[in-house]
Amino acid sequence: MADTGKSCVVAVEPVLPEHVYEQEAITAAVGPLVASDPGRAALLRRLHAGSGVDHRHLVLPLEDYAALHSLGETNAIFVREGAALAERACRGALDSAGLGPQDVDHVFATSVTGVAAPSLDVLLAERLGLRSDVRRTPSFGLGCAGGAGGLARVHDHLLGRPDDVALLVSVELCSLTLQHGDDSAANMVASGLFGDGAAAVVVVGARHPLAQEGDDRRTTIVDTRSRLYPGTTDALGWEVRDTGFAIVLSAGLPDLLAAHLLADVKGLLADHDLTPADVPTWVVHAGGPRVIDAVRDTLDLSEDAVRESRASLACAGNLSSSSVLDVLARTLAHPGAPPGSPAVLMAFGPGVACELVLLRMGGR
């Protein structure tokens, strides 16, 4: 009999917009829009250079960002371009899984860089041709934790409906949140760190036929944990302005992780008679060099353990909720541990919130 306490990841599909630029080119174009004072402009250049980002994909041509000044303008672009990018990710994931849109029973859609009503999942239902009775869970506000949190909530759904197919889709167009004339440290860091992208994940319940094709073939979701850190609501998030979403970003986020993450990870693993030393694979949100460093050092990991997170950051920047799913796709494409071994996926977002997912790695 199938173990209905688990669900299986059968496909992960990250996608990036077509406009790709070296970090130096983005700095040269964006810098004057953000910082006019020579001293602040010099600081911006240093922050961009130290971001761990080599190049980023943008939803618009680089020269178009100078003309964007209002939330109405940027959100209209988010709805139009975000839906198209999410559709690409979903079609790719479904094709990889050998499934069609009519097979999808539940869609969980997450984003924090734009809003839509009807929500993104409704737009996708029309574009993809999903069934009219598809169950939907739209989410806004999980931020960078949305990929991990979305995977956890999809798992929760499938525990109660183990025959179902769920589709997790994340889309983030972070470049549209650039705030002109704001030379705060937070805006300067964000302008050099975040990129645009989307990702889709197909997950099936334990009784679905795709979950029965052999334990060495399917990456299994075993358990999840969510944690809110009290007194941190002003550390990470948005200030909504007429000019769009202005980032709230505390420099103390790595210190928060150093204070809390080890106990949270140990708590998740202990329920399965595991310790961090038993885990060979770590799927870490590419939140920035200091975030990756904090996870590595707090959990006493090797640099090799966060290799795919560094690679994702360098190639695309921090993709917010799509970031950890991009890292997951890279990890599954180049597994460094045997099938059946444990892995921990993690991401951090506004709250401050930590989302953890315990996986059992499959073979490819």
Side-chain angles (χ1 to χ4, degrees):
M1 181 179 293
D3 182 351
T4 56
K6 299 180 177 66
S7 58
C8 292
V9 174
V10 294
V12 185
E13 183 76 12
V15 297
L16 298 168
E18 61 179 323
H19 307 292
V20 57
Y21 300 94
E22 297 295 323
Q23 179 79 327
E24 292 81 0
I26 296 175
T27 302
V30 166
L33 304 179
V34 173
S36 57
D37 175 80
R40 300 299 286 176
L43 175 59
L44 178 142
R45 290 191 293 272
R46 291 196 299 273
L47 291 170
H48 281 212
S51 66
V53 178
D54 294 336
H55 55 267
R56 284 179 280 165
H57 294 250
L58 304 180
V59 73
L60 298 175
L62 188 52
E63 60 271 17
D64 288 4
Y65 288 89
L68 297 180
H69 296 283
S70 75
L71 177 57
E73 291 174 303
T74 56
N75 199 71
I77 295 168
F78 171 85
V79 173
R80 182 183 72 240
E81 301 297 335
L85 200 63
E87 180 186 1
R88 276 180 52 200
C90 291
R91 290 194 184 279
L94 289 169
D95 286 347
S96 295
L99 297 171
Q102 291 291 306
D103 296 314
V104 176
D105 301 295
H106 178 226
V107 180
F108 186 102
T110 186
S111 181
V112 76
T113 51
V115 294
S119 52
L120 181 64
D121 45 284
V122 174
L123 303 181
L124 284 172
E126 289 197 346
R127 298 178 75 116
L128 291 171
L130 301 177
R131 302 195 315 262
S132 61
D133 66 344
V134 68
R135 296 170 185 267
R136 303 179 294 109
T137 307
S139 166
F140 176 89
L142 288 173
C144 293
L151 202 58
R153 300 293 78 76
V154 163
H155 173 67
D156 291 343
H157 174 85
L158 292 172
L159 292 182
R161 305 183 70 87
D163 300 297
D164 279 9
V165 174
L167 182 62
L168 166 64
V169 56
S170 155
V171 58
E172 302 289 11
L173 304 185
C174 304
S175 67
L176 297 177
T177 68
L178 178 72
Q179 294 296 292
H180 292 210
D182 179 356
D183 64 0
S184 65
N187 191 50
M188 289 195 293
V189 167
S191 70
L193 180 63
F194 289 91
D196 296 342
V201 185
V202 177
V203 188
V204 299
R207 289 204 303 248
H208 191 276
L210 287 179
Q212 311 305 314
E213 294 186 3
D215 287 345
D216 64 337
R217 293 277 307 163
R218 299 302 177 201
T219 294
T220 303
I221 302 175
V222 178
D223 202 356
T224 71
R225 288 291 185 278
S226 298
R227 184 71 68 192
L228 285 173
Y229 300 147
T232 64
T233 55
D234 59 351
L236 188 62
W238 293 129
E239 177 189 336
V240 181
R241 303 174 180 171
D242 293 342
T243 53
F245 296 140
I247 194 163
V248 176
L249 181 62
S250 169
L253 182 58
D255 296 331
L256 275 173
L257 299 183
H260 298 286
L261 182 61
L262 181 58
D264 293 338
V265 170
K266 283 183 173 180
L268 170 64
L269 294 176
D271 286 349
H272 301 272
D273 297 320
L274 295 168
T275 70
D278 298 318
V279 179
T281 303
W282 299 86
V283 183
V284 179
H285 164 52
R290 293 184 64 221
V291 168
I292 297 172
D293 288 350
V295 173
R296 179 198 62 195
D297 296 345
T298 301
L299 300 179
D300 195 24
L301 306 180
S302 68
E303 179 59 27
D304 188 62
V306 294
R307 179 184 67 252
E308 298 298 352
S309 300
R310 303 273 193 208
S312 178
L313 182 65
C315 292
N318 181 348
L319 299 173
S320 190
S321 68
S322 302
S323 171
V324 77
L325 303 180
D326 184 73
V327 178
L328 176 61
R330 292 170 181 273
T331 302
L332 294 178
H334 304 99
S341 60
V344 175
L345 178 147
M346 66 182 69
F348 320 100
V352 168
C354 173
E355 293 285 345
L356 301 171
V357 181
L358 177 61
L359 305 170
R360 189 175 69 228
M361 295 295 290
R364 290 293 183 268

